[in-house]
Amino acid sequence: MFAPDDLVVYPAQGVGKIERIDRQNIGGIACEFYIVRIRANNITLMVPVNNAANVGLRTLTPEAVARGILETLRGDTDKTIYTGQNWNRRFREYSERLKSPDLAVVTEVLRELLLISRSKELSFGERRLQEQAMGLVTGELAEVLHLTEDSLREELLERYAPPPQSEAVAN
């Protein structure tokens, strides 16, 4: 059970704060709801207390795990991703994975999209997914590791930037 002012993560939305717990009668049954304000977009969600675990509402990732995830993102940025399947199939797969309550799964989507973008142009949909994944990952990592989200985003974009093209030397 969460309490007001707890920071939580709602899948596909990111870090939020429990503002309060409301009670409402629905169909003659008394129900409790967490009122969660998502930090990234200021959206307010009503999450049934008895269904919170089923929808993936969770506490922030532990600091040690967050550090490991960040180190994984920082390492091996030259890896090549197989992109044999069409962008449509990748888009559907990544969309599903972004709904995961597990930050490591969302981080892998971000990492794969960043790696793909090093060698080819992402489709419009893939760019949107990359932005969504970036926001989810950097939002939670910044909160847990006491970093700024902007500096984390800039660092990752710089690390995964395409290698500079060698210019032909004219004689």
Side-chain angles (χ1 to χ4, degrees):
M1 180 120 178
F2 300 107
D5 294 330
D6 284 354
L7 289 179
V8 294
V9 176
Y10 191 92
Q13 294 291 327
V15 176
K17 185 177 188 176
I18 305 270
E19 290 190 335
R20 65 187 183 280
I21 300 173
D22 276 357
R23 287 179 174 74
Q24 294 184 6
N25 281 327
I26 298 179
I29 299 171
C31 299
E32 288 188 316
F33 293 89
Y34 293 119
I35 306 302
V36 181
R37 181 161 313 271
I38 302 300
R39 288 185 160 191
N41 53 20
N42 216 23
I43 287 177
T44 301
L45 304 174
M46 289 179 65
V47 181
V49 169
N50 61 0
N51 200 33
N54 293 338
V55 298
L57 191 69
R58 64 173 175 80
T59 59
L60 296 176
T61 299
E63 187 173 342
V65 174
R67 287 195 188 289
I69 287 172
L70 183 55
E71 288 310 309
T72 298
L73 273 173
R74 286 176 170 162
D76 200 18
T77 58
D78 293 330
K79 182 178 173 185
T80 304
I81 296 290
Y82 172 70
T83 58
Q85 63 189 11
N86 66 20
W87 70 266
N88 235 354
R89 187 166 297 159
R90 271 196 317 270
F91 179 85
R92 283 194 307 271
E93 177 189 328
Y94 289 155
S95 293
E96 280 306 305
R97 288 169 54 195
L98 284 182
K99 296 174 188 173
S100 172
D102 185 349
L103 182 61
V105 171
V106 176
T107 301
E108 268 309 300
V109 171
L110 173 61
R111 187 165 185 261
E112 287 177 23
L113 286 167
L114 287 169
L115 288 168
I116 291 169
S117 71
R118 292 190 81 198
S119 58
K120 65 185 251 180
E121 181 98 14
L122 296 178
S123 70
F124 174 77
E126 287 173 315
R127 285 193 309 271
R128 272 193 14 242
L129 287 178
Q130 181 179 325
E131 275 305 306
Q132 182 183 3
M134 181 70 80
L136 294 170
V137 171
T138 58
E140 187 168 356
L141 289 178
E143 188 66 46
V144 172
L145 301 175
H146 310 291
L147 303 168
T148 67
E149 193 172 341
D150 288 341
S151 66
L152 195 50
R153 176 186 305 269
E154 288 172 21
E155 176 191 346
L156 292 175
L157 290 175
E158 188 176 299
R159 282 183 183 275
Y160 286 91
Q165 299 294 322
S166 58
E167 295 181 26
V169 178
N171 286 339

